[in-house]
Amino acid sequence: MSDFILVLNCGSSSIKFALFDASAVPLPRKAAWSGKVDGIGGANTQFTEAGATAEAIVLGDAQPYHAALEHIRERVRLRLGGARLEAVAHRVVHGGAKYFSPIRIDASVLADLGSYIPLAPLHQPFALEAIAALLQSRPDLPQIACFDTAFHHTMPDVEKLLPLSFDAWQRGLRRYGFHGLSYEYQSIALAERWGDRARGRTICAHLGSGASLCAMAGLRSVATTMGFSALDGLMMGTRCGALDPGAVLYLMEIEKLSLHDVGQLLYHRSGLLGVSGVSADPRELLPKEAGDERVELALALYVRRIVREIGALVAVLGGLDLLVFTAGIGEHNAVIRERVCRALGWLGIGIEAAANAAHEARISTAESTVCVAVEPTNEEWIAARHALALLRTA
């Protein structure tokens, strides 16, 4: 009889899940079963499992997030049959200055992680809500937190330090970096696919609704674009990315926006959605840009910010051997990839149009001085792998 590890990735309105067969050696990279609940708290909540059509579900108004979690748990129980659930692994966005390795969660750890909610308000509270619910109902079931900030622990202090008074550093105000589970997977997959080239000067572009870049040397993080919070760096779907702090002071002092209003603006009404006024998704924006100047400008700014930040990381690395696109937009949007690479032509990058359109593993030409790759991410497998390793050494 197999044992399984359940991985949960909790966001504000969705819970993604994946079930991995922990008895298989090595741990399979493809989940035995996976899916998500979307639209939690809204009028159209759906449950989707891999290979099946989405189905509408009703969660009720009282505690829709708890109801969504319970719906997943019930489906997992049915899926397992008589098999044992060995542990639940959680993607936890922020580990702060204390947690650099996966850890089994108890009440004390949960309280610690709650102190980081202001640093990742779109993700942290919802992961912790799921953890707390499971701790209460299944205290016997091991729960493992895997941190998105942990992979960037290898960055030098000069990359972590904020240019504030030094006592801010001593209080824990620093650049942490995010999307670490995705970049950790890239450090494994790229070494397997590209060997020594991946161990050189690599930049990974995790482009999804949230987006960041990571510069790697020797497959370790040496710099990244997200910093103290998940607002920093690249322009994103609804988040602003790097912003002159004077603009925030202006909004609060001159336009009299409250702290809450500024938070809503920067996290939910900026980025592609804010500039275009239409959508946060490039798939919806690209067909509209020819007839809409704001949409055209939003996409141009989105690409420009990626190009600018890649240029900065190339300077930090002292050159570039491998450029990798990953996550939803990075893996599936050939137009965005082509525009970014065209603007980086000065690096000697050349793109093979047919390979790019087909989302092939290598999309650069034979003559390109930089290898450009597309590598699907697999954060869930990384979390399951960490959980399994922690349980086996406990």
Side-chain angles (χ1 to χ4, degrees):
M1 185 68 69
S2 295
D3 291 339
F4 288 85
I5 291 175
L6 175 65
V7 179
L8 294 178
N9 184 349
C10 299
S12 58
S13 62
S14 68
I15 304 175
K16 299 177 183 177
F17 63 88
L19 203 58
F20 289 86
D21 185 350
S23 61
V25 181
L27 182 71
R29 296 197 186 183
K30 182 176 175 59
W33 185 58
S34 62
K36 60 184 176 179
V37 176
D38 266 329
I40 300 171
N44 299 307
T45 307
Q46 293 186 319
F47 176 88
T48 309
E49 59 180 297
T53 304
E55 58 182 270
I57 58 173
V58 178
L59 300 178
D61 297 328
Q63 289 185 303
Y65 208 87
H66 282 223
L69 180 63
E70 187 55 39
H71 186 87
I72 291 171
R73 290 178 61 193
E74 181 58 32
R75 292 297 186 100
V76 169
R77 280 193 287 268
L78 292 173
R79 185 76 183 192
L80 288 174
R84 185 173 75 101
L85 185 62
E86 187 172 356
V88 179
H90 298 266
R91 177 201 176 204
V92 178
V93 167
H94 218 302
K98 183 175 181 179
Y99 297 104
F100 309 124
S101 301
I103 188 169
R104 182 165 176 173
I105 306 166
D106 56 21
S108 174
V109 172
L110 183 62
D112 271 353
L113 298 180
S115 68
Y116 306 133
I117 287 175
L119 307 184
L122 294 185
H123 302 91
Q124 194 87 350
F126 304 100
L128 301 190
E129 188 173 343
I131 291 167
L134 286 171
L135 276 177
Q136 184 175 24
S137 62
R138 286 289 308 275
D140 58 310
L141 180 64
Q143 295 191 77
I144 313 298
C146 303
F147 301 102
D148 249 353
T149 48
F151 185 72
H152 302 293
H153 184 56
T154 57
M155 293 193 306
D157 284 351
V158 71
E159 282 290 337
K160 297 176 184 175
L161 191 66
L162 291 168
L164 300 170
S165 60
F166 193 73
D167 63 324
W169 167 267
Q170 294 171 316
R171 297 196 309 271
L173 274 76
R174 60 193 64 191
R175 301 186 70 254
Y176 291 101
F178 298 91
H179 295 131
L181 297 180
S182 176
Y183 293 132
E184 184 177 353
Y185 180 76
Q186 294 299 318
S187 73
I188 296 170
L190 295 176
E192 293 171 344
R193 190 183 297 276
W194 301 106
D196 287 342
R197 187 189 291 271
R199 296 181 181 91
R201 300 164 298 184
T202 295
I203 293 176
C204 290
H206 178 106
L207 306 179
S209 56
S212 68
L213 305 174
C214 178
M216 296 184 198
L219 300 171
R220 292 157 66 91
S221 175
V222 296
T224 189
T225 54
M226 273 187 178
F228 175 71
S229 76
L231 279 174
D232 199 12
L234 302 180
M235 176 181 176
M236 296 170 242
T238 65
R239 284 173 262 172
C240 58
L243 182 69
D244 182 345
V248 179
L249 295 177
Y250 177 89
L251 289 168
M252 298 183 74
E253 182 178 359
I254 306 301
E255 298 195 359
K256 306 302 182 184
L257 268 66
S258 68
L259 182 62
H260 175 268
D261 290 340
V262 170
Q264 289 293 307
L265 174 64
L266 301 185
Y267 275 104
H268 301 290
R269 302 200 310 274
S270 297
L272 283 168
L273 176 63
V275 178
S276 73
V278 174
S279 173
D281 191 336
R283 292 174 299 180
E284 297 180 8
L285 294 175
L286 284 167
K288 301 177 185 296
E289 67 176 333
D292 190 319
E293 289 185 3
R294 279 182 59 182
V295 170
E296 182 181 9
L297 184 60
L299 288 166
L301 181 58
Y302 180 79
V303 170
R304 174 64 65 90
R305 295 294 288 267
I306 296 170
V307 170
R308 174 189 278 186
E309 294 295 336
I310 287 175
L313 292 183
V314 169
V316 168
L317 289 170
L320 186 61
D321 302 305
L322 180 61
L323 173 62
V324 183
F325 291 92
T326 192
I329 297 168
E331 293 171 27
H332 303 297
N333 200 305
V335 175
I336 295 298
R337 291 196 303 258
E338 190 277 331
R339 291 182 183 182
V340 169
C341 291
R342 188 195 325 146
L344 293 170
W346 57 275
L347 280 171
I349 289 177
I351 295 298
E352 174 58 55
N356 185 41
H359 314 297
E360 292 183 7
R362 176 169 182 156
I363 61 172
S364 51
T365 62
E367 297 77 25
S368 180
T369 56
V370 175
C371 178
V372 183
V374 177
E375 189 67 47
T377 194
N378 196 343
E379 296 160 297
E380 291 79 13
W381 178 73
I382 289 291
R385 186 171 181 256
H386 279 312
L388 187 60
L390 192 62
L391 292 169
R392 296 295 185 263
T393 57

